[in-house]
Amino acid sequence: MNTPLPEHLQGSATLLEPINQTPKRKLYLESYGCQMNFSDSEIVASILQQNGFETTREILEADVVFLNTCAIRDNAEQRVRNRLQELKSIKRRRPGMVVGVLGCMAERLKSKLLEEEQLVDIVAGPDAYRDLPQLIKTVEGGQKAVNVLLSREETYADVAPVRLDSNGISAFISIMRGCDNMCAFCVVPFTRGRERSRNPESIVAEAQDLFEQGYREVTLLGQNVNSYLWTGGGLKKDNPTEDELKNATTFAQLLAKVAEVNPLLRIRYSTSHPKDMGNDVLETMAKYPNICKYIHLPVQSGSSTVLERMNRGYNRAWYLERIAAIRHYIPDCGISTDVIAGFCGENAEDHEATLSLMEASGFDFAYMFKYSERPKTLAERKFADDVAEEEKTARLNEIIALQNKLSQKSNEQDVGKTMEVLVEGPSKRSPEQHVGRNTQNKVVVFPKGETQRGQYVRVKIDACTSATLMGHLID
Ligand code: 5AD
Ligand code: SF4
């Protein structure tokens, strides 16, 4: 599952000079939800760029406005609904403006969205982005346009993403799409379709190209990257032949290939599934210094009964054993997780089990959510959403308080250490400070001195909060 990010706007990118003098039309893109959506928006921008568009940060000058949406929890959808309300007044001022809803919410609601949100002209699911220029033409011809077909093959492998809002240092590379897992709470298998992996050569070429452009960190993205398997394309579960399996590329092998692009290129990946997190990946991580020592391993719950009901394919003991394996192969590994509070049937004892698992795992960071029932999912069909809202809130608050304590403790252990940091740019607080990350993905702030974006520097940590390490440069 993808790590969720707070949604924010993706703005303009530097695009190629126009070849002819036809004025380019303007595309305004807003992305919500996970990193995969942000990465998909870069594919959308690329497809439209090839069709005479350039991106803009100014919604008021846009010819086309796309919201790339998330459906993972109800509140993610509500945010998009509210944004659509705001767009109404803008559309009144610019009646020719085309409004499209893309991504998971588009896929979930399909043409219902056109009925419910009158100002929407285009509804396009995650596998329909090549069709967007055609959909825009349909709208310009006076009709509404919908394409929510899910594909068995689409990976957009040949589309070179236009990097939006980039710091020029770190970039996402999408390595697979869809998910076959059917976790009981999760809408993703319905919105992003079946799991398929992308050709490894195209992934390595993208990493190489980014490195040559000056990028120094790539994050390989997929809903469940450990399950990556390239056997020549198509669905993962299409039963590859023996020959195909012999020549297959696993996730561990892909990691090694990307790590070999250049020792100065850092590699990260997200998201892992505990049931598929094998020792081969941990061995590869330990072997290559440029593969970051950081794993996001969503646990969801610490109770085996709840995990079973969630259809996660592992239990508490399995998860704790995987944590022990990580610590064995990579003793200094940063580990983060996702936790859901108040899933169907969760009782006080189950909740205590989540707290004790968090404590035992010593997570450095966590994304924490209240369970939100999603239509069509296994949980919606089979179980009652029976934990009261106030109880969900109380449990979530306990989980957050514990994680704050664990993050603080983890950061305090770094005070006094000297670590390598990849400089990302000025910190938000002060232009005199630079911000970057260490291999464990912790944010490090330090007086910038002569350092440049994209440089690896050594920083000695003097102080911390639960979210940030503060230090000074060491020669
Ligand atoms: N309710 C709450 N959280 C959810 N997640 C996925 N589906 C739901 C849901 N229905 C969380 C999981 C996942 C993360 C991206 O979002 O923790 O790992
Ligand atoms: Fe992640 Fe499970 Fe959802 Fe797949 S079904 S995206 S593994 S939470």
Side-chain angles (χ1 to χ4, degrees):
M1 187 64 256
N2 278 350
T3 306
L5 290 176
E7 73 272 13
H8 71 248
L9 313 184
Q10 272 174 314
S12 63
T14 314
L15 300 181
L16 302 175
E17 287 298 312
I19 299 166
N20 56 38
Q21 291 310 308
T22 327
K24 286 184 179 278
R25 290 191 293 164
K26 300 220 186 281
L27 164 69
Y28 177 90
L29 255 169
E30 216 167 273
S31 303
Y32 295 78
C34 66
Q35 291 166 332
M36 193 61 128
N37 259 10
F38 284 73
S39 170
D40 278 1
S41 291
E42 300 187 330
I43 286 166
V44 169
S46 172
I47 290 168
L48 287 207
Q49 184 190 322
Q50 283 155 20
N51 284 272
F53 281 85
E54 63 186 358
T55 52
T56 175
R57 282 172 194 275
E58 256 313 316
I59 193 163
L60 284 172
E61 62 172 31
D63 300 295
V64 172
V65 172
F66 283 154
L67 305 188
N68 194 358
T69 61
C70 171
I72 197 110
R73 282 169 291 277
D74 184 58
N75 58 11
E77 291 200 2
Q78 287 320 318
R79 240 167 268 147
V80 171
R81 300 267 188 191
N82 293 342
R83 185 64 174 139
L84 285 170
Q85 288 308 311
E86 288 169 18
L87 290 188
K88 272 190 186 156
S89 67
I90 299 175
K91 190 154 174 173
R92 244 175 262 131
R93 284 149 78 185
R94 288 179 67 78
M97 188 175 93
V98 175
V99 175
V101 175
L102 317 183
C104 289
M105 199 174 156
E107 190 63 50
R108 192 178 86 69
L109 293 164
K110 305 190 169 55
S111 52
K112 244 203 298 187
L113 249 181
L114 295 180
E115 294 151 30
E116 292 171 5
E117 304 286 348
Q118 295 290 321
L119 88 160
V120 174
D121 304 300
I122 293 178
V123 176
D127 288 342
Y129 298 151
R130 286 182 203 268
D131 197 25
L132 285 170
Q134 203 48 49
L135 298 176
I136 293 172
K137 282 203 187 109
T138 305
V139 171
E140 287 167 347
Q143 286 173 302
K144 303 256 174 179
V146 180
N147 185 342
V148 287
L149 288 178
L150 287 172
S151 158
R152 299 164 69 90
E153 286 95 25
E154 183 61 272
T155 58
Y156 300 109
D158 57 318
V159 179
V162 168
R163 306 292 165 185
L164 297 169
D165 250 16
S166 169
N167 61 6
I169 304 304
S170 27
F172 297 128
I173 302 182
S174 158
I175 65 162
M176 62 196 300
R177 300 181 73 80
C179 183
D180 283 346
N181 282 329
M182 290 290 175
C183 298
F185 49 79
C186 186
V187 77
V188 167
F190 304 94
T191 60
R192 287 189 163 269
R194 303 288 305 278
E195 183 179 317
R196 60 226 108 109
S197 296
R198 173 179 168 190
N199 174 348
E201 276 77 47
S202 74
I203 297 169
V204 172
E206 190 172 331
Q208 182 80 49
D209 186 49
L210 284 165
F211 183 77
E212 281 158 17
Q213 287 176 46
Y215 285 83
R216 289 295 173 265
E217 187 174 274
V218 294
T219 303
L220 308 182
L221 286 185
Q223 250 72 39
N224 175 6
V225 289
N226 305 88
S227 152
Y228 174 92
L229 187 69
W230 173 257
T231 54
L235 291 190
K236 167 135 189 233
K237 289 191 176 150
D238 269 349
N239 293 331
T241 63
E242 254 173 51
D243 256 9
E244 281 172 338
L245 276 178
K246 239 186 282 156
N247 299 317
T249 305
T250 63
F251 181 58
Q253 289 164 336
L254 177 72
L255 265 183
K257 281 182 205 247
V258 181
E260 279 165 19
V261 164
N262 195 295
L264 287 177
L265 182 69
R266 271 183 173 182
I267 324 298
R268 299 187 185 278
Y269 61 89
S270 189
T271 289
S272 296
H273 195 301
K275 80 175 163 57
D276 297 317
M277 172 50 97
N279 291 346
D280 56 343
V281 171
L282 302 178
E283 278 164 14
T284 308
M285 287 178 74
K287 180 169 160 200
Y288 290 91
N290 59 330
I291 304 181
C292 288
K293 305 301 176 260
Y294 168 65
I295 298 178
H296 182 62
L297 197 65
V299 67
Q300 316 297 2
S301 168
S303 152
S304 294
T305 353
V306 174
L307 287 169
E308 165 101 48
R309 223 175 292 132
M310 286 177 163
N311 198 28
R312 287 287 288 175
Y314 59 88
N315 59 18
R316 178 187 174 95
W318 170 278
Y319 188 89
L320 288 172
E321 191 282 325
R322 287 293 80 202
I323 295 287
I326 295 171
R327 304 254 185 249
H328 168 74
Y329 285 99
I330 315 161
D332 57 345
C333 197
I335 307 179
S336 60
T337 200
D338 293 345
V339 182
I340 297 178
F343 184 65
C344 313
E346 184 190 81
N347 60 27
E349 198 185 324
D350 296 319
H351 170 60
E352 286 304 319
T354 296
L355 296 174
S356 72
L357 180 134
M358 291 173 69
E359 193 93 58
S361 306
F363 296 120
D364 299 289
F365 183 80
Y367 295 95
M368 298 155 284
F369 314 100
K370 271 193 267 188
Y371 172 59
S372 160
E373 185 176 81
R374 308 309 291 132
K376 275 208 206 165
T377 54
L378 213 68
E380 189 243 7
R381 288 180 283 131
K382 272 178 71 176
F383 310 123
D385 181 8
D386 55 0
V387 179
E389 187 60 27
E390 313 80 76
E391 189 56 37
K392 281 185 189 170
T393 308
R395 289 181 192 172
L396 179 65
N397 287 342
E398 272 185 44
I399 289 169
I400 292 172
L402 172 58
Q403 186 52 49
N404 283 344
K405 201 183 85 186
L406 294 175
S407 299
Q408 177 76 32
K409 185 169 155 201
S410 156
N411 282 355
E412 276 167 11
Q413 283 165 357
D414 283 334
V415 174
K417 286 188 190 160
T418 299
M419 49 187 64
E420 186 179 76
V421 174
L422 173 60
V423 183
E424 290 175 14
S427 89
K428 274 189 220 120
R429 293 248 175 93
S430 151
E432 293 313 308
Q433 304 261 322
H434 265 163
V435 66
R437 280 169 201 269
N438 68 5
T439 187
Q440 286 88 4
N441 207 35
K442 288 187 181 175
V443 175
V444 182
V445 177
F446 55 92
K448 69 179 185 180
E450 301 298 308
T451 59
Q452 306 281 330
R453 203 173 256 212
Q455 203 183 336
Y456 289 99
V457 297
R458 294 183 66 69
V459 176
K460 184 164 187 198
I461 305 306
D462 305 310
C464 70
T465 66
S466 63
T468 313
L469 301 175
M470 282 87 80
H472 63 275
L473 287 162
I474 298 274
D475 289 335

